[in-house]
Amino acid sequence: MYDYFLGGRDNFAADRELAEQVLQVAPNARTTARANRSFLVRATEAMAQAGIRQFVDLGTGVPTSPNVHEVAQQIDPDARVAYVDNDPIVLVHARALLSGIRSDVITIDGDLRDPKGILDHPKLGAHIDFAQPVAVLLVAVLHLLTDADGPERLVETIRDRMAPGSHLILSHLWDDPDGVARAGADKYARRKASAPVVPRTMEQIQRFFDGFELIEPGLVYLDQWRPTEGMINAGADDRFGVCAVGRKA
Ligand SMILES: C[S@@+](CC[C@H](N)C(=O)[O-])C[C@H]1O[C@@H](n2cnc3c(N)ncnc32)[C@H](O)[C@@H]1O
């Protein structure tokens, strides 16, 4: 569905049908998805410019160019990237389009509800040195985990493994006061989509950054994070996604 919102071609009739129902109650879903992807690119670029050379992209999604390794390797061709997802279709595409290309990019089948399983995965350990700074991306993915799935435990487990100077790049669907995000989420619940959608309040999203210092400009709407000229701008009527980057001291 996210691929459909982004205008991609790697989606099925069932995805398109449910996505159209979401668009009826949340007509901004397309611009929100694009603004989210644009944040992912700007934040990855900022991390690479700050000297980070290792990236772990949790909940990668169907490959969408520019992907994390394309952005990071433009700044340092030796940057290493690990893509992690649990969706078999995403994994097939990622293996074909991302990790098939070069040895400094790998794809791992991992479930975010089992953070230790991901962090202790031998392929990840051989590829990423957690004794050195790393950027971990949790972009548009924590709202696919319910509170019972343990999103806070996931972030804590990752934080405890990170070396000082590491960063967490995170975006999340905001539980807007008009209830638009909830109305969209309700469509997923009714159709029993493979993952539920759980919009959260600013306070709940801020809590994911416990133990991190937010770098400038803090927790903001997607298009307010270090905007660049010509970037995809969600616009003032699109306030459904929020994002931040936190640094582990
Ligand atoms: C909305 S997409 C976001 C893709 C990308 N991070 C972005 O922002 O452009 C969410 C991705 O998270 C993955 N995902 C959802 N629940 C997951 C879980 N429990 N473990 C691993 N991946 C998961 C989905 O398969 C999907 O590919």
Side-chain angles (χ1 to χ4, degrees), residues 5-243:
F5 291 139
L6 284 174
R9 289 183 185 171
D10 298 309
N11 47 71
F12 295 97
D15 302 321
R16 293 190 286 275
E17 197 188 308
L18 186 48
E20 283 297 337
Q21 286 185 29
V22 171
L23 282 166
Q24 279 172 18
V25 291
N28 286 74
R30 278 202 178 96
T31 43
T32 305
R34 288 181 187 145
N36 176 69
R37 196 70 204 173
S38 171
F39 160 69
L40 177 149
V41 169
R42 298 196 307 283
T44 300
E45 200 167 43
M47 293 300 98
Q49 277 162 351
I52 303 256
R53 294 293 173 261
Q54 311 188 91
F55 295 80
V56 180
D57 184 12
L58 300 173
T60 303
V62 173
T64 301
S65 195
N67 291 289
V68 171
H69 72 282
E70 291 164 323
V71 177
Q73 290 179 349
Q74 253 184 13
I75 291 158
D76 183 341
D78 293 328
R80 303 170 80 77
V81 178
Y83 291 111
V84 181
D85 210 287
N86 72 339
D87 182 319
I89 300 201
V90 168
L91 290 168
V92 167
H93 281 84
R95 292 199 167 112
L97 292 171
L98 305 177
S99 45
I101 323 165
R102 34 188 313 166
S103 60
D104 37 24
V105 179
I106 60 166
T107 300
I108 293 173
D109 179 357
D111 193 316
L112 296 169
R113 291 165 292 192
D114 174 20
K116 285 214 164 77
I118 295 176
L119 292 174
D120 295 338
H121 196 294
K123 248 175 105 180
L124 188 69
H127 196 68
I128 299 287
D129 178 4
F130 279 94
Q132 299 297 321
V134 58
V136 172
L137 292 93
L138 279 170
V139 178
V141 63
L142 286 190
H143 54 235
L144 300 176
L145 299 187
T146 63
D147 292 346
D149 289 332
E152 290 185 5
R153 183 175 47 93
L154 160 72
V155 178
E156 277 168 27
T157 311
I158 294 167
R159 189 195 61 212
D160 291 350
R161 197 66 71 92
M162 284 171 152
S166 295
H167 288 74
L168 174 67
I169 301 175
L170 187 150
S171 71
H172 200 289
L173 192 62
W174 178 46
D175 191 0
D176 62 288
D178 295 330
V180 175
R182 269 179 190 270
D186 190 48
K187 294 283 179 197
Y188 282 74
R190 279 170 196 276
R191 284 287 298 273
K192 295 195 170 46
S194 55
V197 173
V198 187
R200 291 189 170 90
T201 63
M202 290 286 187
E203 292 71 29
Q204 288 171 317
I205 298 167
Q206 174 82 45
R207 237 178 279 140
F208 290 130
F209 287 98
D210 283 356
F212 292 93
E213 275 164 29
L214 292 192
I215 67 169
E216 280 299 315
L219 181 63
V220 291
Y221 298 115
L222 292 167
D223 55 3
Q224 293 177 335
W225 200 92
R226 302 192 184 183
T228 53
E229 225 170 285
M231 73 172 206
I232 293 159
N233 199 325
D237 62 338
D238 192 322
R239 293 292 177 237
F240 304 110
V242 294
C243 62

